[in-house]
Amino acid sequence: MYDYLIVGAGLFGNVWAHEATKRGKKCLVVDRRNHIGGNTYCENVEGINVHYYGAHIFHTNDKDIWDYVNSFVEFNRYTNSPVANYYGELYNLPFNMNTFYQMWKVRTPEEAKAKIQEQIEAANIKEPKNLEEQAISLVGTDIYEKLIKSYTEKQWGRKCVDLPAFIIKRLPVRFTFDNNYFNDRYQGIPIGGYNKLNEALLEGIDVRLGVDYFKNRAELDASAKQIVYTGQLDEYFDFKLGYLEYRSLRFEHQTLDTPNHQGNAVVNYTDGETAYTRIIEHKHFEFGTQDKTVITHEYPQEWTPGQEPYYPVNDDKNDKLLREYRKLVDAETNVIFGGRLAEYRYYDMHQVIGSALAKVRKHFGE
């Protein structure tokens, strides 16, 4: 008999399993996929760690979480500095003095601020009614048209004029020559890939892969005193109140017989004609020098039941349904729900680890 059955071998489940085991508990981790790590899983192709479910870049301001992950695997110094390709024009991201020079040939922060302000005033939007108006009121028309509009429409599968303004609360604009996408103090990629982190978390713990919890529910529930569930929230309750909606993604991986395809790990395609949102070149996450390279085209897509759920759609309809499901969660006495799917919320990696550690401490009364 196990103390805990952990459904899902993603970061939340793996951290929980590790911490419970450390406290003398016996855990079984199951996952319907044939690998551990959830969406952080890396596949080794030509000696390159391919981020199989899209780019994962670890970043945090929390020293405790940074020290925690580094206690399992050493992280490199990778800094996320995406490039935007708009019909062949290249721009640095996030929006900073390099971007403004590329856009308008302005050389000083004062000139850049004046240009943006001039466009904001010309648009004269007092109360933004949608995402398009919100973005223009923050950064002006040029940046919106070239770097935000089509990329956002591809991501959401909706026109910007049909998306609510609150999706973009703020758009970070830097008046320095700084291409570091994140403001966090700590950032990097595990040396050897994320599998090393997940393998270290699960060391000495029983793991069963290719096991669908819902097809073996009675047997699995009977094997443990308590359940930690990290799968889709609505699926746990057999979708009885309806489906919570997501945006999904599709990835096309390709091995190329060249050592360097695009010179950067992440290139966003911000025009409206290119169907994919970005190309990832994985070797650059770990400064690879292999003879070949692996690239991934990332396509956003509408989610339908059965597809991989990636981003929760936090609109009024889904928030209302989530509140109803949470009432069912509260009635479950022997199940701990955690992680992005079970909580129906977007988590970065450091946040999901922080959430798991906090729930462990609360559970064990520490």
Side-chain angles (χ1 to χ4, degrees), residues 45 47 105 195 200 207 212 238 247 264 304 329 331:
V45 180
K105 292 294 180 273
N195 295 2
V207 178
D212 189 326
D238 201 25
R247 286 290 291 164
N264 206 46
T304 52
V329 166

Side-chain angles (χ1 to χ4, degrees), residues 302-316:
E302 290 292 327
W303 176 84
T304 52
Q307 284 183 315
E308 285 295 338
Y310 283 94
Y311 303 109
V313 180
N314 294 119
D315 58 11
D316 291 342

Side-chain angles (χ1 to χ4, degrees), residues 64-120:
D64 289 342
I65 287 178
W66 182 245
D67 289 345
Y68 183 78
V69 293
N70 275 273
S71 71
F72 299 101
V73 59
E74 190 181 351
F75 279 65
N76 69 19
R77 60 162 188 83
Y78 177 80
T79 301
N80 190 27
S81 304
V83 169
N85 183 321
Y86 178 77
Y87 291 112
E89 297 173 11
L90 300 181
Y91 296 95
N92 288 109
L93 297 174
F95 313 136
N96 71 82
M97 283 303 298
N98 290 307
T99 324
F100 309 142
Y101 177 75
Q102 290 149 352
M103 185 87 62
W104 303 306
K105 292 294 180 273
V106 294
R107 289 172 172 78
T108 67
E110 195 177 353
E111 289 174 314
K113 281 178 187 172
K115 191 77 179 170
I116 291 169
Q117 196 55 40
E118 175 192 313
Q119 294 190 359
I120 290 171

